[in-house]
């Protein structure tokens, strides 16, 4: 069924976005991404190893022509660090579509909202198309939309925690008010978590640890692909109401007993 | 002459340009990005930017990363 995801004027068939970190090697990274069906992959920007120029690079295994590289600012704790990182990313790859993530503390990796707002404003002025990682705060998500962000990505739970959608209520409100895509980012632990996010009406889900940290990452990547598709289909199909009492699903007429 | 390359002191000949630096280090210019004293150095200008004593250079590339470190 044709039900593409539209972000910043681009169209994608997959609603699952995956990170490329934490895999045992580039080979496993490539296989897991392939199995996930993802078309957008997040990447980090780091120093090259000056003493080893011939070391294999991510781009050798995950083709930037086949996948949309979404440079992110993971590991940045200030607006300045994030903006510097993404300016370099734009120069390295030539892409305007970026994921902004500014964190506040190493224990919860909680989004640093004041610094994220500051960075988003600067980046949008410089022509970046910003997908923004944020807390699941409906007001803040609205602010990011009004500033001109192309997508909001509220957390389901802290990064890498695998706790799933901790606050479906706020995610629902965010979706209800948004005129830009809402993607749950961070906190997914297993397939049902991704399905729940999609059933709530999210436009997509971004994950890394849930796949890379699974015992069999390639199998989990496939599970996540199916989970996101299932959740989306169930959302579009429209679920039945929850009721307190049973309703027979076989006709009562024509009984012979 | 000394510059700071990716946070470490690094010796280069006088009048070294950014493209010469990349050649010396054996990096493919199309696969990296350079920050020169906190400003992005546009790729098309690598041959004309001459390094000066104490310049801070960051050479970066894309690595695996998600919503984590």
């Amino acid at each position: 069924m044709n039900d593409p995801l539209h972000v910043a004027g681009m169209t994608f068939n997959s609603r699952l976005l995956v990170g490329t970190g934490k895999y045992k090697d580039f080979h496993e990274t490539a296989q897991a991404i392939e199995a996930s069906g993802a078309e957008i992959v997040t990447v980090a920007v780091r120093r090259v190893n000056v003493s080893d120029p011939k070391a294999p690079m991510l781009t050798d295994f995950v083709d930037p022509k086949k996948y949309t590289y979404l440079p992110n600012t993971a590991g940045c704790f200030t607006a300045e660090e994030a903006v510097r990182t993404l300016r370099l990313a734009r120069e390295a790859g030539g892409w305007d579509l970026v994921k902004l993530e500014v964190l506040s503390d190493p224990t919860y990796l909680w989004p640093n909202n004041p610094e994220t707002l500051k960075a988003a404003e600067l980046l949008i002025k410089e022509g970046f198309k910003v997908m923004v990682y944020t807390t699941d705060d409906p007001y803040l998500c609205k602010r990011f939309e009004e500033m001109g962000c192309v997508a909001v990505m509220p957390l389901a739970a802290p990064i890498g925690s695998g706790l799933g959608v901790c606050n479906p209520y706020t995610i629902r409100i965010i979706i209800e008010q948004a005129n830009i895509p809402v993607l749950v980012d961070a906190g997914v632990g297993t397939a049902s978590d991704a399905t729940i996010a999609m059933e709530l009406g999210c436009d997509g889900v971004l994950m890394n640890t849930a796949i890379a940290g699974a015992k069999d990452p390639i199998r989990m990547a496939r599970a996540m692909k199916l989970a996101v598709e299932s959740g989306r289909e169930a959302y579009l199909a429209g679920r039945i109401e929850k009721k307190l009492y049973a309703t027979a699903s076989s006709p009562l007429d024509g009984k012979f007993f | 002459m000394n510059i700071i390359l990716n946070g470490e002191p690094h010796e280069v000949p006088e009048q070294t340009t950014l493209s010469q630096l990349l050649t010396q280090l054996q990096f493919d210019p199309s696969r990296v990005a350079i920050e020169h004293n906190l400003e992005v150095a546009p790729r098309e200008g690598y041959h004309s930017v001459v390094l000066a004593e104490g310049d801070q250079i960051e050479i970066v590339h894309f690595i695996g990363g998600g919503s984590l470190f």
Side-chain angles (χ1 to χ4, degrees), chain A residues 178-206:
Chain A
N179 300 304
I180 54 174
V182 177
L183 295 93
V184 154
D185 180 0
V188 166
T190 188
S192 54
D193 298 335
T195 305
I196 288 169
M198 294 308 292
E199 283 173 349
L200 288 170
C202 284
D203 296 282
V205 179
L206 196 163

Side-chain angles (χ1 to χ4, degrees), chain A residues 136 154-155 165 167-175 184 200 202:
Chain A
D136 55 338
L155 49 74
V165 181
N167 201 339
Y169 173 69
T170 50
I171 299 289
R172 276 288 296 275
I173 299 175
I174 292 165
I175 293 164
V184 154
L200 288 170
C202 284

Side-chain angles (χ1 to χ4, degrees), chain A residues 198-248:
Chain A
M198 294 308 292
E199 283 173 349
L200 288 170
C202 284
D203 296 282
V205 179
L206 196 163
M207 64 181 77
N208 191 156
T209 312
I211 296 174
K215 285 198 183 75
D216 182 343
I218 293 143
R219 191 160 212 155
M220 188 57 93
R222 199 158 49 233
M224 291 301 185
K225 174 185 196 278
L226 297 171
V228 167
E229 285 173 5
S230 289
R232 178 67 182 174
E233 287 291 282
Y235 170 72
L236 293 176
R239 61 154 298 153
I240 61 160
E241 293 289 314
K242 288 184 184 179
K243 282 180 292 193
L244 210 47
Y245 304 104
T247 313

Side-chain angles (χ1 to χ4, degrees), chain A residues 53-54 57, chain B residues 22-23 25-33 43 46:
Chain A
K54 299 295 168 219
M57 288 190 180
Chain B
L22 285 180
T23 310
L25 295 168
Q26 297 181 284
F27 281 106
D28 175 352
S30 68
R31 286 150 67 96
V32 298
R43 205 182 295 282
Y46 287 173

